[in-house]
């Protein structure tokens, strides 16, 4: 990283909707996109006297995520009411967790295949479960400033994951979010769809500036700003860059320190690419938390926690390591593959096993398979060529019967016409060239190119490349590595 006159300090607060069928304290559906207010009941719409009952499945899902984040799971936790007034919160409070969260003291390991920062662990202060609020819909199209409320989202289970302020660049923050999303997706606890609001990010950011009057003393910390309203990881990265620059300018003019002013909340304006001041942030005392008298505390036995831990399965970090160790691929490549999700990794593993060359399989999957999946917006399950047929094709590439570009042509036929390797090669007129025919061809090339032959004789073996090109022009089916071999052999014999 370039040398900045300050250190950026970032902590992230992520809200993730859990992928349960029903809500956290009632049986209403959590399905996204239903007509407004069709998935509500007296409990989630806040009718007086309606009683909430915990959805145990949501709780187990939250524990699953917390364990994967290396958190401690206490055997006892409870629910608290967080009071605030907003039109999309009909009860006037959110059921959340205050002093006894369902998990705490975890960490998430992040690294950067591009080496912009050293691999590190980011601490997780806590992860707790709470209910979501509804949505305000502003009818800007009609131009009437007409706002309506949709309560379908009210009561959807949310896992709030709070990191330590331990990320020191926008790139680290983005890597944390990317890894967190990947982990939660592998765990199948959330679809993490930012567009639909299943994953929402708030970022706390300030600067630590070396004290010019006490070089060995603690750095000067500028006031912390909470940035909201970012709807992609890219937006988070850009908002943090902007905010660091802005805080540096404010510091140079005002010399405001942490404690001089209350914590400020600013919203990211995607179009203007700036953050704008919003209401000042409530302190937790403003929420007047108190235990929810309608809900019993949750008891989670060590046995049940252990059971959930045993069912976590192979998580992204372990999977990357296995791919690198078993198939000899680089961290950059294992990262690309694992980021595509488990189904693609399974496809890759099957291919690597069958063709016996993990690097070759990785190259073809990344360059050819992924490109097509992206172009057609399909998943690996809909990819026409199964690993066994793909491995057959790679075997032809491995023993030199096909070079990469001809291999691609064959693959295209296999995809478009659903042909086997053999049929695709026949259709393209790719026939194996008899070795005696090849010897004849090379002899004629040697005779016609004395200058190149002299080069090869002088030890410049690269010169043989020109002969391969000529051979392919005469017969596109020739095996380039065999042509090279023959040309070098025949050159040494030539006078
Ligand atoms: Zn309900
Ligand atoms: Mn929250």
């Amino acid at each position: 990283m370039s040398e900045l006159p300050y250190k950026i300090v970032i902590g992230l607060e992520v809200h993730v909707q859990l992928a349960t069928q029903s809500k956290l304290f009632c049986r209403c559906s959590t399905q996204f996109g239903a007509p407004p207010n069709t998935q509500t009941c007296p409990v989630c719409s806040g009718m007086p006297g309606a009683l909430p009952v915990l959805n145990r499945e949501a709780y187990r899902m939250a524990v699953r995520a917390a364990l994967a984040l290396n958190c401690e799971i206490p055997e006892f936790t409870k629910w608290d009411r967080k009071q605030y007034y907003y039109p999309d919160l009909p009860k006037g409070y959110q059921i959340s967790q205050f002093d006894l969260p369902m998990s705490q003291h975890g960490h998430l390991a992040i690294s950067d295949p591009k080496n912009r920062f050293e691999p590190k662990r980011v601490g997780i202060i806590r992860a707790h479960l709470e209910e979501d609020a509804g949505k305000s819909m502003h009818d800007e199209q009609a131009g009437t400033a007409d706002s309506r409320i949709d309560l379908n989202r009210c009561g959807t289970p949310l896992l709030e994951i709070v990191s330590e302020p331990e990320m020191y660049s926008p790139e680290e923050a983005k890597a944390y979010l990317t890894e967190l999303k990947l982990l939660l997706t592998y765990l199948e606890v959330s679809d993490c769809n930012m567009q639909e609001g299943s994953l929402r990010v708030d970022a706390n950011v300030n600067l630590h500036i070396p004290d010019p009057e006490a070089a060995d003393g603690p750095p000067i910390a500028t006031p912390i700003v909470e940035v909201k309203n970012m709807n992609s990881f890219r937006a988070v990265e850009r908002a943090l860059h902007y905010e660091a620059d802005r805080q540096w300018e404010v510091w140079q003019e005002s010399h405001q320190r942490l404690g001089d002013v209350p914590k400020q909340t600013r919203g990211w304006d995607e179009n203007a690419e700036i953050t704008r001041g919003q209401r000042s942030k409530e302190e937790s005392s403003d929420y007047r938390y108190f235990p929810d008298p309608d809900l019993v505390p949750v008891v989670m036995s060590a046995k049940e926690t252990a059971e959930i831990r045993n069912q976590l399965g192979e998580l992204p970090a372990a999977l990357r390591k296995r791919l690198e160790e078993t198939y000899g691929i680089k961290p950059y490549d294992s990262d690309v593959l694992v980021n595509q999700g488990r189904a693609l990794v399974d496809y890759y593993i099957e291919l690597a096993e069958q063709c016996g060359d993990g690097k070759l399989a990785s190259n073809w999957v990344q360059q050819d398979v992924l490109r097509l999946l992206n172009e057609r917006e399909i998943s690996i399950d809909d990819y026409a060529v199964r690993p066994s047929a793909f491995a057959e094709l790679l075997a032809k590439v491995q023993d030199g019967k096909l070079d990469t570009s001809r291999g691609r042509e064959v693959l295209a036929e296999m995809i478009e016409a659903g042909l086997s390797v053999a049929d695709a090669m026949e259709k393209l007129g790719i026939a194996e060239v008899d070795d005696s025919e090849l010897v004849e061809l090379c002899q004629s090339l040697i005779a016609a190119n004395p200058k190149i032959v002299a080069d090869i004789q002088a030890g410049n073996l690269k010169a043989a490349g020109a002969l391969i090109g000529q051979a392919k022009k005469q017969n596109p089916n020739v095996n380039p590595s065999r042509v090279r071999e023959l040309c070098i052999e025949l050159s040494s014999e030539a006078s």
Side-chain angles (χ1 to χ4, degrees), residues 181-245:
K181 178 180 169 179
L182 189 68
L183 182 67
L184 297 171
T185 311
Y186 267 71
L187 290 166
E188 295 178 338
V189 297
S190 175
D191 64 19
C192 294
N193 185 332
M194 273 187 110
Q195 254 58 51
E196 293 180 2
S198 343
L199 190 152
R200 312 197 280 270
V201 182
D202 299 330
N204 285 292
V205 53
N206 72 337
L207 307 180
H208 285 187
I209 301 164
D211 190 341
E213 278 153 33
D216 296 335
I220 296 162
T222 63
I224 297 172
V225 169
E226 178 169 346
V227 187
K228 291 181 171 291
N229 228 356
M230 301 163 289
N231 53 19
S232 69
F233 291 170
R234 205 176 126 67
V236 173
E237 204 181 351
R238 285 165 27 150
L240 288 170
H241 273 297
Y242 173 85
E243 194 52 31
D245 291 347

Side-chain angles (χ1 to χ4, degrees), residues 128-332:
H128 72 250
L129 196 52
E130 61 188 26
E131 59 177 355
D132 208 344
K135 254 187 259 184
S136 305
M137 301 182 300
H138 307 289
D139 193 359
E140 281 137 3
Q141 263 180 338
T144 53
D146 183 12
S147 287
R148 296 158 193 239
I149 302 292
D150 175 10
L151 297 182
N152 282 352
R153 203 175 69 180
C154 258
T156 296
L158 280 183
L159 187 66
E160 179 179 324
I161 303 162
V162 185
S163 86
E164 295 279 2
E166 289 180 347
M167 286 157 274
Y168 304 125
S169 67
E171 289 73 24
E172 283 186 20
K174 190 176 175 211
Y176 170 87
L177 292 171
T178 306
E179 188 65 10
L180 180 63
K181 178 180 169 179
L182 189 68
L183 182 67
L184 297 171
T185 311
Y186 267 71
L187 290 166
E188 295 178 338
V189 297
S190 175
D191 64 19
C192 294
N193 185 332
M194 273 187 110
Q195 254 58 51
E196 293 180 2
S198 343
L199 190 152
R200 312 197 280 270
V201 182
D202 299 330
N204 285 292
V205 53
N206 72 337
L207 307 180
H208 285 187
I209 301 164
D211 190 341
E213 278 153 33
D216 296 335
I220 296 162
T222 63
I224 297 172
V225 169
E226 178 169 346
V227 187
K228 291 181 171 291
N229 228 356
M230 301 163 289
N231 53 19
S232 69
F233 291 170
R234 205 176 126 67
V236 173
E237 204 181 351
R238 285 165 27 150
L240 288 170
H241 273 297
Y242 173 85
E243 194 52 31
D245 291 347
R246 191 193 66 80
Q247 288 183 24
W248 177 241
E249 272 173 36
V250 170
W251 161 257
Q252 285 171 307
E253 280 165 23
S254 68
H255 283 236
Q256 261 179 12
R257 298 173 185 231
L258 186 65
D260 288 353
V261 288
K263 180 165 157 180
Q264 200 195 142
T265 302
R266 300 179 69 87
W268 174 243
D269 181 333
E270 181 74 34
N271 296 320
E273 296 184 23
I274 59 169
T275 62
R276 295 179 198 278
Q278 296 182 333
R279 66 184 160 80
S280 72
K281 177 81 182 159
E282 291 91 347
E283 292 298 316
S284 67
S285 60
D286 298 336
Y287 289 124
R288 295 172 293 121
Y289 280 98
F290 71 88
D292 193 309
D294 288 344
L295 281 159
V296 291
V298 184
V299 177
M300 190 76 188
S301 70
K303 187 169 164 255
E304 196 177 357
T305 303
E307 210 179 276
I308 297 174
R309 190 193 298 278
N310 286 336
Q311 291 163 2
L312 285 182
E314 192 173 26
L315 300 178
L319 186 54
R320 277 189 209 107
K321 203 163 164 227
R322 177 156 76 92
L323 295 187
E324 287 155 30
E325 285 171 358
T326 313
Y327 303 109
I329 58 175
K330 296 217 160 65
Y332 176 86

Side-chain angles (χ1 to χ4, degrees), residues 23 26-28 39-45 154:
K23 294 184 180 178
C26 65
R27 298 175 71 174
C28 293
Q39 293 169 347
T40 59
C41 72
V43 174
C44 57
S45 57
C154 258

Side-chain angles (χ1 to χ4, degrees), residues 454-475:
D455 277 354
I456 296 173
Q457 284 172 338
N460 179 11
L461 299 185
K462 275 188 192 157
L467 296 179
I468 298 171
Q470 291 190 31
K472 284 182 81 173
K473 245 180 229 165
Q474 294 192 28
N475 183 347

Side-chain angles (χ1 to χ4, degrees), residues 98 171 204 210 341 434 453 492:
F98 185 51
E171 289 73 24
N204 285 292
D434 192 67
V453 172
S492 68

